[in-house]
Amino acid sequence: MKIAVLSGKGGTGKTTISTNLAKAMGWNYVDCDVEEPNGFIFLNPKVIKTEQVSIPVPEIDPSKCIGCQKCVNICQFNALAWANKDVLLFDKLCHGCGACSLVCGYGAISEVDREIGHIDVGNDEQITCMRGTLNIGEPMAVPIIRDLKKMIGNEKTIIDCSPGSTCSVVAAIEGVDYAVLVTEPTAFGLHDLKIAIELVRTMNIPFGIIINRGSHEKDLIEEHCEKEKINIIGKVMFDKDVAVLYSKGKLLVEHEKYKELFLHIGKKVEGEIACSLL
Amino acid sequence: MKIAITCVKKDKDSMIDERFGRCNYFTIYDTESKSFEHVENKGVTSAQGAGIAAGQQLLDHGVEALITGHVGPNAMKILQSGNVSIYKCSGKNIKEEIDLLLDNKLENINNAVPPHSGMRNRHGRA
Ligand code: SF4
Ligand code: SF4
């Protein structure tokens, strides 16, 4: 069982919601926001294992290359070029698809591993925490997310996604049972929320909304959700306690009142998943 | 020698496009035959690596000099590997730019600009 937590954009409180939900529900936590994974700051697990993530990139042996340029032409990503009678590799653009070595009829291309990031596995008292980290300057997040997803298996897991609706998010939410969309009650929040809703709907994933930094008044997110018959599964108020806990790098569930709230949200989500399976 | 210029339109009176990888057209001038050729930039339709696709196209055309505004690091790498000299346009029309180049009056920007070099221009502030 997997729940993905996403947000229209950064800074909405996605990590706050996902770490607290994981802790309250006792589910494992996986940080797929590989460009800026900061869930471990709050969960603070003991890291027990680190694995490198690499992709296979071509290495060209100039003594075997006859310059047919088949490899250059097959590469969909412009990672290979032909300049001054040499094949030139732009390794940051290479997706590791292997097409070039397949078409080279002269055995001039072999594949070598290039490290793009790593995965940490850690233990909290009750839950397992994982995070992927992309090396600085690396553009390809999806291979790390794929590896993370493989490691999750069938465990009950909360997946913290990257902000926005990028291909990293698509890779992270593929095959999840439920999506939690975190938003803020502002016009920008609503705008980004609509894009996120479209994404999960297109991918046929049942979902619900959590309003972060909410107030006691009815806000524009609630109005929109009412009109569109979208389920709001929780609202985290904007108050001083939240700010203080957050600034100390502490989980909200360490505070009794929020523990209640996240337990309640967790129950609701589990109920929603059960309903969606009927 | 063939000189390529990044252009907005498919026309020899076109404005110069300061972008390299994402310009619409290249005008290629042949100093021997004194003729112009206009080609569509394949980089524009590339999802990624626009500068590389554009650079490859110029090498395939046998271009030896390029007049443009900004060249990214990937494009710089392929153009340098192909021994293309890169010159900074000076905001004139195509013909004037070519004349300036042939008079050796355009700045050669083959050495990739160091990252953030644009930040040095802080209008007199330190
Ligand atoms: S396909 Fe093989 S032989 Fe042909 S250019 Fe590429 S590396 Fe060289
Ligand atoms: S492995 Fe695929 S992406 Fe990488 S250079 Fe070869 S063809 Fe291009």
Side-chain angles (χ1 to χ4, degrees):
Chain A
M1 200 78 87
K2 296 182 211 82
I3 299 171
V5 178
L6 42 158
S7 70
K9 64 161 189 64
T12 322
K14 185 178 50 63
T15 297
T16 308
I17 301 296
S18 44
T19 49
N20 284 287
L21 213 48
K23 195 75 179 168
M25 295 171 80
W27 286 31
N28 292 343
Y29 170 84
V30 174
D31 201 340
C32 279
D33 185 0
V34 300
E35 263 140 56
E36 227 174 306
N38 45 25
F40 274 31
I41 298 173
F42 300 96
L43 289 166
N44 208 9
K46 206 170 131 233
V47 173
I48 49 169
K49 193 168 75 175
T50 297
E51 275 180 20
Q52 308 306 322
V53 179
S54 343
I55 58 169
V57 301
E59 190 174 69
I60 291 124
D61 179 350
S63 69
K64 290 187 184 157
C65 173
I66 62 138
C68 69
Q69 297 177 47
K70 271 192 191 156
C71 55
V72 176
N73 296 328
I74 196 114
C75 181
Q76 290 180 53
F77 305 102
N78 287 323
L80 294 174
W82 178 250
N84 203 13
K85 303 195 173 70
D86 257 328
V87 178
L88 210 58
L89 170 69
F90 293 88
D91 57 4
K92 295 253 163 90
L93 295 185
C94 173
H95 286 229
C97 72
C100 51
S101 62
L102 272 177
V103 295
C104 178
Y106 301 88
I109 301 184
S110 48
E111 290 182 340
V112 292
D113 279 345
R114 193 173 77 80
E115 189 199 316
I116 57 165
H118 62 272
I119 288 174
D120 295 309
V121 181
N123 271 337
D124 173 67
E125 292 112 55
Q126 308 98 6
I127 61 176
T128 302
C129 306
M130 286 192 261
R131 83 171 153 199
T133 308
L134 194 62
N135 290 349
I136 308 271
E138 286 296 340
M140 229 85 67
V142 173
I144 299 193
I145 294 167
R146 293 243 165 86
D147 279 11
L148 276 169
K149 295 279 291 277
K150 267 187 230 144
M151 289 165 76
I152 293 172
N154 290 325
E155 300 282 316
K156 286 185 167 179
T157 306
I158 304 277
I159 299 176
D160 192 354
C161 303
S162 332
S165 310
T166 59
C167 44
S168 305
V169 177
V170 173
I173 66 177
E174 225 164 30
V176 301
D177 301 277
Y178 193 80
V180 169
L181 274 44
V182 183
T183 184
E184 278 176 343
T186 64
F188 289 119
L190 180 60
H191 172 265
D192 294 327
L193 176 65
K194 285 180 184 166
I195 299 171
I197 290 175
E198 215 177 293
L199 177 68
V200 288
R201 279 197 171 141
T202 313
M203 293 179 71
N204 248 324
I205 299 169
F207 68 97
I209 312 285
I210 292 185
I211 300 171
N212 194 26
R213 300 196 188 100
S215 69
H216 291 283
E217 282 147 50
K218 185 162 177 180
D219 58 52
L220 76 177
I221 304 285
E222 286 168 291
E223 276 166 21
H224 178 76
C225 290
E226 212 165 87
K227 207 171 73 210
E228 300 279 315
K229 300 205 167 50
I230 294 166
N231 211 350
I232 294 179
I233 49 174
K235 188 167 176 177
V236 181
M237 296 301 167
F238 184 61
D239 68 22
K240 226 179 93 210
D241 294 341
V242 175
V244 170
L245 288 165
Y246 191 83
S247 68
K248 288 187 184 153
K250 291 223 153 79
L251 287 172
L252 303 185
V253 291
E254 286 174 33
H255 202 297
E256 207 43 50
K257 129 176 132 187
Y258 295 109
K259 192 168 182 181
E260 288 280 313
L261 173 70
F262 278 98
L263 275 172
H264 182 71
I265 295 175
K267 286 250 161 58
K268 245 184 156 164
V269 172
E270 282 184 286
E272 291 271 318
I273 296 175
C275 286
S276 74
L277 293 176
L278 285 180
Chain B
M1 176 173 76
K2 282 187 178 175
I3 304 167
I5 302 158
T6 47
C7 293
V8 178
K9 284 190 306 189
K10 196 173 185 164
D11 182 282
K12 77 178 195 311
D13 295 318
S14 160
M15 300 249 300
I16 293 193
D17 194 332
E18 296 230 349
R19 300 166 307 168
F20 174 65
R22 298 267 173 209
C23 72
N24 287 317
Y25 297 98
F26 294 113
T27 293
I28 300 176
Y29 177 69
D30 189 333
T31 52
E32 268 150 48
S33 63
K34 302 214 172 357
S35 63
F36 289 93
E37 185 188 354
H38 306 284
V39 295
E40 266 171 55
N41 173 15
K42 286 184 189 154
V44 177
T45 52
S46 296
Q48 67 167 57
I52 299 168
Q56 181 76 72
Q57 197 177 1
L58 295 190
L59 297 193
D60 293 346
H61 271 84
V63 165
E64 287 169 65
L66 164 71
I67 302 172
T68 186
H70 321 284
V71 178
N74 285 339
M76 188 65 83
K77 183 172 158 194
I78 176 167
L79 290 167
Q80 284 179 334
S81 306
N83 296 324
V84 177
S85 310
I86 308 162
Y87 296 91
K88 175 115 184 93
C89 60
S90 58
K92 304 275 172 31
N93 66 35
I94 292 179
K95 178 148 187 330
E96 288 168 306
E97 297 278 1
I98 293 172
D99 289 343
L100 284 171
L101 171 64
L102 296 174
D103 279 351
N104 250 329
K105 284 192 181 133
L106 286 186
E107 184 198 350
N108 190 306
I109 50 169
N110 260 39
N111 297 320
V113 268
H116 310 300
S117 63
M119 286 164 69
R120 247 181 263 138
N121 182 10
R122 298 184 50 159
H123 307 284
R125 275 167 280 144

